[in-house]
Amino acid sequence: MSKRVGLEASFAAAEAARMANVDVIAAYPITPQTHIPERLAEMVANGELEAAYIPVESEHSALSACLGSAAVGARTFTATAGQGLELMHEVVYVASSMRYPIVMTVCNRALSAPLSVWGDHSDAMAVRDTGWIQVFCQNNQEAFDMTLWAFRVGEDSRVLLPVMVHFDGFSLSHVTEPVILPEQEEVDRFLPKFQYAFALNPDKPMTHGAFGPPDIYSETKVAQEVALRKSKGVILQGWQEFGDVFGRYYDPVESYKIEGAKLLLLTMGSFSETAKAAIDTKKDSGESVGLINLRLWRPFPFEELRQAVKDAETLVVFDRCISFGGPVGPVCSEVRSALYNEKKRPAVVSFIGGLGGRDVSVKDFEYVIDRGREVAQKGSKELFEMVGIRGQVTGIRG
Amino acid sequence: MAKKKPKTVSDLTWKDLEVGNIVKEAGGASARKTGDWRTERPVLDKEKCTKCALCWLYCPDAAIKPTEEGYYEADLDYCKGCGICANICPVGAITMTQEEEQ
Ligand code: SF4
Ligand code: SF4
């Protein structure tokens, strides 16, 4: 029997790694991710988890140790946040291009300066193009579910890619919610052992990480790009089978009350739950609105997004990161680009808010919906609008 | 993955690459002659050489190989001309000399 327990998302992720029976954990503590390595270190010390816990001196080393671990075919887990992910940056690319299926939790955190330990999506957006499979969690149950699923998908011999599981720092990482924990037997049924055909072995030497001169580098990048895009099939299959075992089914693009809606709001991560409340209030007062929660970030779910927005007149995208000097918020940019060639497409309006832990309330989302509709109809001089900023924001012009 | 084994890297298409560009054999670099950008070459004076093998031990490229006569000589297909062997030789039996333009 599965059991329902109160867990913060950090503990849910650690629990998922334990039930996945990871072989190696290499992580460096950083707020707001700290509870994950702490809990895993405790499990290893108490004998609840038979794994090697590698204490390292930095995040760069943490992910480097993970490369070595994955290279010998060990199930490998790490976690980081904000500045830690930045320090890892160089190795983040290495993990995906060497096709090591490391699973990494990122407790999304703003980037310095000014120093902020609180949440937004700047860290995630800075690793957007690193070649990892990436998903965003809405709540603590998803933090558990996506972590388990990440091992299954990443380690699949048809995929062999690292997976980043994003959830919001503090608002999920440190908040306790009910989480349904499965039986070990169910987890074992869902998640086979990691069997890596190219595991380093002194008895059968081979070369990992050969260099790539100009006459081969481009070919390696094409192979990597095609692999990431092709992983979509296994991603969908993984969610289907996850649902069949655990009863919770997931989609790359989650739709909430979108049938016939003229205006759609698009959000990611924990803000989607707040935004749903705003949709409910708006719907109660007779407005034609709905919500899209973008769960799968890489590979980008083009088809599912187009399908979800095809009948809408307006699509309001809410970002938690600024693309400095760029067109709109980074998510909005991609959404617009994904729809650009469609004959019939909604007007896409960009909002940015919730930076560095700033709360965005149900009322704020109601405002975003109203203002988004107005901008779609009348236009605006600004490329995007910031939510909840003191002082009128002008000068964001293209 | 590759159907017939191509001769050089330039013959490989992206589909021929192993996952993560793994090379299934070790020491694959020996198939590529990597000594062509050397500017100086080590020249051995057999009169002075005591066959102590220090140059063989110190060469960072493993380019020095024992000969049948028991001397140690650089394989110029791989030697990078770094001069470490000349520097380490206790009797000054190795002289670095300028490569001539061919
Ligand atoms: S010059 Fe350098 S690379 Fe060449 S044989 Fe001597 S030590 Fe080796
Ligand atoms: S180090 Fe000098 S003396 Fe010793 S083997 Fe090499 S060339 Fe001969």
Side-chain angles (χ1 to χ4, degrees), chain A residues 201-216:
Chain A
N201 178 349
D203 296 334
K204 195 188 161 298
M206 61 175 105
T207 307
H208 284 218
F211 90 135
D215 55 0
I216 196 69

Side-chain angles (χ1 to χ4, degrees), chain B residues 2-56:
Chain B
K3 276 139 225 111
K4 64 174 175 21
K5 205 168 168 91
K7 283 214 158 48
T8 70
V9 166
S10 310
D11 296 324
L12 295 170
T13 74
W14 68 271
K15 288 184 179 171
D16 295 321
L17 301 171
E18 292 291 351
V19 168
N21 316 312
I22 282 159
V23 184
K24 282 179 153 171
E25 302 91 44
S30 60
R32 288 165 77 90
K33 306 232 184 298
T34 51
D36 58 353
W37 41 268
R38 183 180 56 247
T39 57
E40 289 186 329
R41 67 165 69 187
V43 176
L44 175 67
D45 182 347
K46 289 184 182 166
E47 298 288 305
K48 289 187 185 164
C49 176
T50 62
K51 303 180 180 175
C52 74
L54 271 178
C55 54
W56 169 82

Side-chain angles (χ1 to χ4, degrees), chain A residues 29-281:
Chain A
I30 181 167
T31 307
Q33 152 270 31
T34 323
H35 289 178
I36 301 174
E38 242 174 46
R39 178 53 68 93
L40 283 165
E42 199 181 342
M43 287 169 177
V44 173
N46 292 345
E48 296 163 65
L49 170 62
E50 204 183 313
Y53 186 97
I54 308 177
V56 285
E57 79 280 20
S58 75
E59 284 84 358
H60 190 280
S61 307
L63 195 53
S64 299
C66 288
L67 297 181
S69 155
V72 299
R75 179 165 287 164
T76 306
F77 179 79
T78 187
T80 191
Q83 303 303 124
L85 186 55
E86 292 298 296
L87 186 55
M88 260 183 199
H89 199 78
E90 177 185 10
V91 196
V92 175
Y93 278 90
V94 180
S96 56
S97 41
M98 294 187 68
R99 308 280 299 274
Y100 292 147
I102 298 155
V103 172
M104 173 158 72
T105 303
V106 180
C107 300
N108 299 119
R109 166 180 160 171
L111 298 177
S112 296
L115 175 65
S116 167
V117 295
W118 293 275
D120 71 29
H121 291 171
S122 303
D123 56 356
M125 293 304 144
V127 294
R128 186 186 65 177
D129 298 329
T130 52
W132 289 50
I133 293 170
Q134 300 187 48
V135 284
F136 279 80
C137 304
Q138 249 180 123
N139 52 46
N140 298 2
Q141 184 68 58
E142 290 188 15
F144 179 89
D145 293 354
M146 292 306 137
T147 307
L148 218 48
W149 164 90
F151 287 109
R152 166 69 190 264
V153 171
E155 292 172 1
D156 190 298
S157 61
R158 295 164 293 175
V159 176
L160 288 173
L161 282 167
V163 186
M164 239 181 257
V165 178
H166 296 281
F167 55 74
D168 288 311
F170 291 114
S171 50
L172 291 185
S173 69
H174 286 58
V175 170
T176 301
E177 286 182 343
V179 175
I180 298 167
L181 293 181
E183 283 295 310
Q184 187 63 50
E185 173 274 318
E186 293 172 297
V187 173
D188 296 344
R189 194 146 38 96
F190 173 70
L191 186 61
K193 280 202 158 42
F194 176 30
Q195 280 173 330
Y196 180 44
F198 308 106
L200 286 178
N201 178 349
D203 296 334
K204 195 188 161 298
M206 61 175 105
T207 307
H208 284 218
F211 90 135
D215 55 0
I216 196 69
Y217 185 86
S218 305
E219 280 73 18
T220 71
K221 292 295 116 178
V222 169
Q224 185 185 348
E225 164 71 336
V226 172
L228 179 58
R229 285 176 194 269
K230 266 178 55 186
S231 71
K232 176 85 173 292
V234 180
I235 287 172
L236 298 180
Q237 190 194 345
W239 274 331
Q240 178 64 42
E241 289 175 16
F242 187 95
D244 294 347
V245 174
F246 303 104
R248 290 179 296 280
Y249 290 88
Y250 292 106
D251 298 315
V253 170
E254 181 192 319
S255 308
Y256 181 73
K257 301 185 176 175
I258 66 162
E259 297 76 25
K262 286 190 177 135
L263 183 145
L264 295 178
L265 177 61
L266 185 147
T267 49
M268 281 163 102
S270 62
F271 274 23
S272 295
E273 294 211 329
T274 316
K276 280 176 187 170
I279 296 295
D280 288 346
T281 321

Side-chain angles (χ1 to χ4, degrees), chain B residues 42 58-61 63-64 74 78-86 96:
Chain B
Y58 274 80
C59 172
D61 218 296
I64 293 184
Y78 305 106
C79 166
K80 307 294 184 292
C82 69
I84 287 175
C85 52
M96 299 305 291

